[in-house]
């Protein structure tokens, strides 16, 4: 044994052969219900990954490292890129991660056809070019595309409504994957269902490829208002509310206690200007995804830089005025409506 | 009252501030925690925390905030200033020419002269891991620290390579004594690829095992105590680097 190991009771076995009775109450220690006599009758409480049951000294793919990477991306901008050159522009501009995909959402809208996972070669080329974390998208429910992305070593998988759905009923069972997942959500119930399936990172859906921030605002305001409501409910009411919004009860309870989602939440879907990014940050998002907003605009490099600046200094209007100036043409965008080209993407998956 | 700043350009700065505020209420340290995005805010700080995040983005944003970069660099290089860097923060604290492993050349800010670091030394996210490891000098020293490594950097090499005993630190060299606080077992050491033209030269396998180190008032960890809910590393920083005493 190389170093201390903690067993289920919280007792420690130290490398020098001694043991210490448990005093800490770390995440790996299951809580007891305080009644020693009821052991046979009580239902065991759910336990997070328990390092003591194996002889391994370290653990990959834990929820801690999955949600932890999202926490490292906070206050940053994740940019959609379609090739190595765009990935370099994004890194140079100060992106915190890049999302590799063959067509940005505005192109998926205008060109139509089935949108699928990108070619692994293109994703690997981007991984080999930038030092940043690289994300890539899979179709909702397409767990084999996810297996492929995990095998080529992407840092985050986006199970995304931007692509065509592979399963219109089920999402991917994400928890067993070593690679973490980010998923979109329009409201609290949807966000908590995704976390229940194993997502370690949530973004609002917005309306990708529209250049129109209205849906992102709507989704974040809905999430915020539902979280506020949950945090005021009594225990009894919380059960009812969980039923109402079809959310796993334990995640709803945790959300109510924290007064925020239990994972990082970014804005996405329609962000096209520095002001849009700052708006989403002031509404309480932890960071932003910018899809078509950058590479469908007149001057991608400069716009990308400005959006990064706006995300850092989102509550400094003077700075925002400076970075918003002289950016050239923003993406033209479209009105969000049922008959828009490519239809409403946010409606895919629930 | 001691004012602790958390560099808030990007990354897990909120988590560090929350941990510090919990240390304040749990152990009774007389501190005030502020976020640092501008040079004015930096000047108010008695101590500084550089959080985890993307080191390139933090450097970029420090350059873009008027006057912040030179002030930050001189703050980090001032031996009288307590500074703690976790993960990306550790990369920023490396020697000026001591950062390797990225796809593009990158500079350190020289808080720890002689410390060379290698970015993403353990690999990509699929290799990110958690481990309970012993950490010297913490409260309850018998309980190992739950360390979370996320696309973590590693110390590549240290100059001088052996810690100077504190007794002759002032005479033998101008550097304060180095304390290796947390050393990984050999089984967890990362594999830094041998690159013939690496400007940092060959990696030192002993140095690579060091994942927490203190030198003077500077503290670095390649992992993320701000994510684990265990407050002991933050308490250690106030006690050992800021020279504070708990009021309990």
């Amino acid at each position: 044994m190389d170093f201390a190991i903690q067993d289920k009771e919280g007792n420690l076995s130290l490398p020098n052969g001694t043991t210490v009775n448990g005093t800490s109450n770390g995440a790996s220690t299951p809580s007891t219900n305080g009644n020693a006599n009821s052991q046979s009758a009580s239902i065991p409480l759910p336990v997070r990954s328990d390092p003591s049951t194996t002889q391994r000294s370290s653990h990959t793919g834990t929820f801690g490292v999955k949600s932890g990477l999202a926490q490292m991306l906070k206050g940053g901008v994740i940019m959609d890129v379609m090739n190595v050159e765009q990935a370099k522009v994004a890194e140079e501009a100060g992106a915190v991660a890049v999302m590799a995909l063959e067509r940005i959402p505005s192109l998926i809208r205008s060109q139509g056809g089935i949108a699928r996972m990108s070619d692994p070669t293109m994703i690997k080329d981007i991984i080999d070019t930038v030092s940043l974390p690289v994300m890539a998208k899979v179709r909702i429910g397409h767990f084999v595309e996810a297996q492929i992305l995990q095998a080529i070593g992407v840092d985050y998988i986006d199970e995304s409504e931007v692509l065509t759905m592979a399963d219109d009923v089920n999402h991917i069972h994400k928890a067993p994957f070593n690679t973490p997942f980010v998923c979109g959500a329009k409201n609290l119930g949807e966000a908590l269902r995704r976390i229940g399936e194993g997502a370690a990172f949530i973004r609002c859906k917005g309306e990708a490829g529209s250049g129109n921030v209205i849906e992102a605002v709507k989704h974040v305001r809905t999430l915020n208002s539902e979280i506020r409501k949950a945090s005021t409910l009594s225990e009894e009411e919380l059960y009812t509310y969980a039923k109402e919004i079809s959310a796993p009860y334990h995640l709803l309870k945790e959300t109510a206690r924290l007064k925020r989602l239990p994972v990082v939440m970014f804005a996405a879907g329609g962000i096209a200007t520095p002001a849009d990014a700052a708006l989403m940050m002031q509404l309480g998002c932890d960071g932003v995804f910018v899809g078509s907003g950058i590479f469908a605009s007149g001057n991608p490099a400069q716009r990308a830089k400005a959006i990064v600046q706006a995300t850092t200094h989102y509550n400094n209007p003077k700075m925002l005025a400076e970075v918003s100036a002289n950016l050239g043409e923003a993406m033209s965008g479209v009105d969000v409506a049922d008959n828009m080209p490519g239809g409403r993407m946010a409606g895919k998956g629930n | 009252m001691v004012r602790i700043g958390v560099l808030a350009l990007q990354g897990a700065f909120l988590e560090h501030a929350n941990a510090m505020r919990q240390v304040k209420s749990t152990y009774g340290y007389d501190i005030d925690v502020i976020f640092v995005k501008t040079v004015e805010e930096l000047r108010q700080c008695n101590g500084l925390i550089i959080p985890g995040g993307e080191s390139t983005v933090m450097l970029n944003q420090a350059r873009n905030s008027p006057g912040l970069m030179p002030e930050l660099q001189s703050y980090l290089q001032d031996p009288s200033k307590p500074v703690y860097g976790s993960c990306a923060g550790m990369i920023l604290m490396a020697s000026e020419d001591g950062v390797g492993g990225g796809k593009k050349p990158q500079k350190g800010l020289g808080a720890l002269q002689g410390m060379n670091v290698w970015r993403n030394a353990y690999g990509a996210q699929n290799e990110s891991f958690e481990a309970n490891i012993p950490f010297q000098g913490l409260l309850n020293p018998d309980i190992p620290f739950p360390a979370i490594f996320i696309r973590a950097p590693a110390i590549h090499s240290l100059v001088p390579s052996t810690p100077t005993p504190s007794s002759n630190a002032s005479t033998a060299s101008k550097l304060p004594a180095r304390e290796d606080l947390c050393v990984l077992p050999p089984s967890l050491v990362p594999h830094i690829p041998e690159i013939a033209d690496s400007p940092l030269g060959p990696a030192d396998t002993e140095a690579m095992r060091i994942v927490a180190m203190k030198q003077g008032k500077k503290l670095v960890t390649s992992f993320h105590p701000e994510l684990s809910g265990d407050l002991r590393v933050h308490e250690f920083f106030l006690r050992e680097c800021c020279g504070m005493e708990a009021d309990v």
Side-chain angles (χ1 to χ4, degrees):
Chain A
M1 188 165 22
D2 286 312
F3 48 78
I5 301 244
Q6 196 173 27
D7 72 14
K8 280 190 171 174
E9 278 71 49
N11 301 319
L12 284 169
S13 306
L14 293 174
N16 59 12
T18 59
T19 53
V20 180
N21 286 333
T23 47
S24 85
N25 189 18
S28 62
T29 313
S31 43
T32 56
N33 57 12
N35 184 351
N37 296 330
S38 68
Q39 223 168 7
S40 55
S42 73
I43 297 164
L45 290 165
V47 183
R48 264 175 58 171
S49 67
D50 183 357
S52 65
T53 53
T54 70
Q55 288 301 307
R56 288 171 59 200
S57 54
S58 70
H59 299 268
T60 59
T62 63
F63 197 75
V65 302
K66 288 177 175 178
S67 63
L69 177 56
Q71 282 169 287
M72 295 310 131
L73 303 175
K74 284 168 72 173
V77 181
I78 299 169
M79 300 182 191
D80 278 5
V81 298
M82 294 182 284
N83 52 50
V84 166
E85 285 65 40
Q86 292 186 349
K88 283 181 184 162
V89 170
E91 184 170 44
E92 192 62 38
V96 78
V98 293
M99 175 77 71
L101 74 174
E102 261 160 3
R103 295 185 287 169
I104 54 176
S106 62
L107 289 178
I108 295 174
R109 284 191 183 286
S110 59
Q111 296 173 350
I114 304 298
R116 312 181 177 89
M117 177 191 80
S118 299
D119 185 330
T121 314
M122 169 263 197
I123 299 170
K124 269 161 92 182
D125 285 348
I126 291 176
I127 291 175
D128 291 338
T129 307
V130 295
S131 312
L132 302 174
V134 175
M135 305 183 169
K137 289 183 192 288
V138 299
R139 285 178 268 177
I140 289 173
H142 206 316
F143 51 86
V144 173
E145 285 185 348
Q147 291 165 4
I148 292 169
L149 290 187
Q150 173 167 283
I152 63 176
V154 305
D155 295 298
Y156 242 100
I157 299 171
D158 186 358
E159 188 183 17
S160 178
E161 71 282 2
V162 168
L163 305 184
T164 308
M165 290 176 87
D167 185 333
D168 61 359
V169 179
N170 306 296
H171 279 69
I172 297 171
H173 176 30
K174 296 171 269 288
F177 282 82
N178 213 36
T179 309
F181 280 76
V182 55
C183 286
K186 303 182 291 294
N187 52 51
L188 182 57
E190 194 175 3
L192 296 180
R193 286 193 293 280
R194 296 296 88 77
I195 299 168
E197 293 153 4
F201 183 3
I202 293 293
R203 55 175 175 74
C204 73
K205 282 181 164 173
E207 197 52 66
S210 70
N212 192 338
V213 81
I214 181 170
E215 294 297 302
V217 169
K218 190 183 293 173
H219 299 160
V220 170
R221 281 205 183 272
T222 304
L223 268 157
N224 286 346
S225 131
E226 288 173 342
I227 290 170
R228 260 194 308 277
K229 177 178 177 188
S231 71
T232 62
L233 295 180
S234 69
E235 293 281 327
E236 296 87 341
E237 291 167 332
L238 217 48
Y239 289 107
T240 312
Y241 194 47
K243 187 173 67 183
E244 211 174 283
I245 64 172
S246 307
Y249 170 73
H250 69 287
L251 291 173
L252 180 63
K253 193 172 179 194
E254 181 67 357
T255 304
R257 185 182 73 80
L258 295 169
K259 297 189 170 65
R260 61 154 295 146
L261 284 182
V263 301
V264 169
M265 209 222 12
F266 271 40
I271 292 142
T273 68
D276 287 350
L279 172 69
M280 300 316 296
M281 293 298 285
Q282 287 197 24
L283 284 173
C285 293
D286 294 315
V288 296
F289 282 86
V290 185
S292 319
I294 290 170
F295 289 102
S297 77
N299 187 343
Q302 207 187 341
R303 182 164 293 270
K305 255 180 218 162
I307 291 177
V308 170
Q309 281 287 83
T311 304
T312 302
H313 302 282
Y314 65 90
N315 50 9
N316 183 342
K318 224 178 119 212
M319 189 80 104
L320 294 175
E322 249 170 66
V323 303
S324 299
N326 302 318
L327 293 179
E329 208 172 323
M331 73 178 281
S332 63
V334 286
D335 266 340
V336 176
D338 291 341
N339 61 354
M340 67 198 289
R344 286 178 187 260
M345 289 175 171
K348 290 189 248 170
N350 190 28
Chain B
M1 208 238 344
V2 170
R3 178 161 289 168
I4 303 294
V6 182
L7 194 66
L9 297 170
Q10 192 271 317
F13 48 85
L14 211 57
E15 286 78 355
H16 268 295
N18 287 342
M20 268 301 166
R21 286 175 183 140
Q22 280 181 52
V23 169
K24 177 184 176 171
S25 56
T26 309
Y27 300 102
Y29 283 98
D30 184 19
I31 58 165
D32 171 30
V33 183
I34 64 164
F35 292 116
V36 175
K37 290 187 186 186
T38 63
V39 70
E40 292 75 27
E41 287 158 343
L42 179 61
R43 288 191 184 125
Q44 299 170 24
C45 299
N46 305 108
L48 183 69
I49 296 179
I50 308 179
E54 276 303 312
S55 58
T56 47
V57 178
M58 281 189 235
L59 282 169
N60 192 44
Q61 292 305 81
R63 268 185 228 108
N64 288 337
S65 182
L68 182 58
M69 192 53 144
E71 188 84 5
L72 183 63
Q73 190 149 15
S74 61
Y75 194 102
L76 261 58
Q77 293 182 1
D78 183 342
S80 72
K81 303 285 192 195
V83 181
Y84 166 39
S86 67
C87 194
M90 173 168 120
I91 300 173
L92 262 58
M93 288 172 73
S95 290
E96 279 98 337
D97 296 317
V99 181
K103 304 285 185 338
K104 281 194 305 182
Q106 187 177 330
K107 292 275 177 194
L109 299 181
L112 282 165
Q113 297 293 343
M115 179 177 76
N116 299 325
V117 300
W118 198 263
R119 297 181 63 191
N120 306 136
Y122 299 84
Q125 174 63 12
N126 283 342
E127 276 71 51
S128 292
F129 66 100
E130 292 184 42
N132 291 329
I133 45 182
F135 192 127
Q136 277 176 45
L138 297 186
L139 298 177
N140 301 322
D142 291 341
I143 301 171
F145 194 84
I148 302 182
F149 295 79
I150 296 173
R151 288 170 48 93
I155 294 178
H156 170 279
S157 46
L158 288 159
V159 186
S161 58
T162 49
T164 26
S166 46
S167 53
N168 53 13
S170 52
T171 52
S173 108
K174 283 182 187 155
L175 293 174
R178 190 183 98 211
E179 296 164 54
D180 303 340
L181 302 167
C182 202
V183 181
L184 283 184
S187 60
L188 290 180
V189 175
H191 298 284
I192 294 178
E194 290 218 12
I195 298 170
D197 59 348
S198 163
L200 298 183
D204 173 353
T205 46
E206 286 308 303
M208 276 158 57
R209 292 175 55 191
I210 304 167
V211 291
M213 184 184 93
K214 174 180 174 294
Q215 190 161 24
K217 295 187 172 183
K218 305 293 189 282
L219 174 68
V220 290
T221 62
S222 59
F223 53 88
H224 293 284
E226 74 276 18
L227 298 185
S228 63
D230 191 321
L231 303 173
R232 289 178 296 161
V233 172
H234 291 85
E235 191 275 341
F236 176 89
F237 175 64
L238 293 179
R239 177 160 44 88
E240 295 294 329
C241 300
C242 303
M244 297 187 72
E245 276 176 37
D247 184 26
V248 280

